[in-house]
Amino acid sequence: MTLLRMAAGYRQSAELIRLRIAALRELARGAEPEEQLRLERRIRDLRTLHRETTETARTLERYYERRRGADGRRA
């Protein structure tokens, strides 16, 4: 598996997490206060996971860019 394929997998996971966050936000709007707090904690945790997943995808996508100079040779 190449790093770009791995990055694509991370991007796909990040999108699924984003969709789950949106669904939980919708549920939280009409929830009782105690349930709303529980959902908001879960959303906060998922936002962290989303950010980390996106950053990992970006790192994998750019891995070889950092190792080569502008002329395409190794830096």
Side-chain angles (χ1 to χ4, degrees):
M1 178 176 281
T2 68
L3 293 180
L4 289 177
R5 280 190 175 178
M6 288 175 65
Y10 276 93
R11 290 271 178 209
Q12 185 178 19
S13 293
E15 178 62 14
L16 293 173
I17 294 166
R18 187 190 67 75
L19 292 172
R20 182 64 179 149
I21 290 169
L24 291 175
R25 282 184 181 149
E26 188 65 32
L27 283 175
R29 284 191 188 122
E32 297 292 324
E34 186 175 312
E35 179 70 5
Q36 193 172 27
L37 286 174
R38 187 185 69 77
L39 290 169
E40 287 172 1
R41 274 187 245 124
R42 181 66 180 142
I43 290 167
R44 186 181 62 236
D45 292 343
L46 285 173
R47 288 181 66 181
T48 300
L49 183 60
H50 180 264
R51 184 180 63 251
E52 291 171 352
T53 303
T54 302
E55 288 172 3
T56 300
R58 188 176 301 122
T59 299
L60 291 170
E61 289 165 349
R62 297 177 180 173
Y63 180 78
Y64 292 108
E65 291 175 12
R66 291 180 291 165
R67 299 188 64 150
R68 299 200 180 272
D71 59 359
R73 295 183 184 184
R74 288 185 69 102

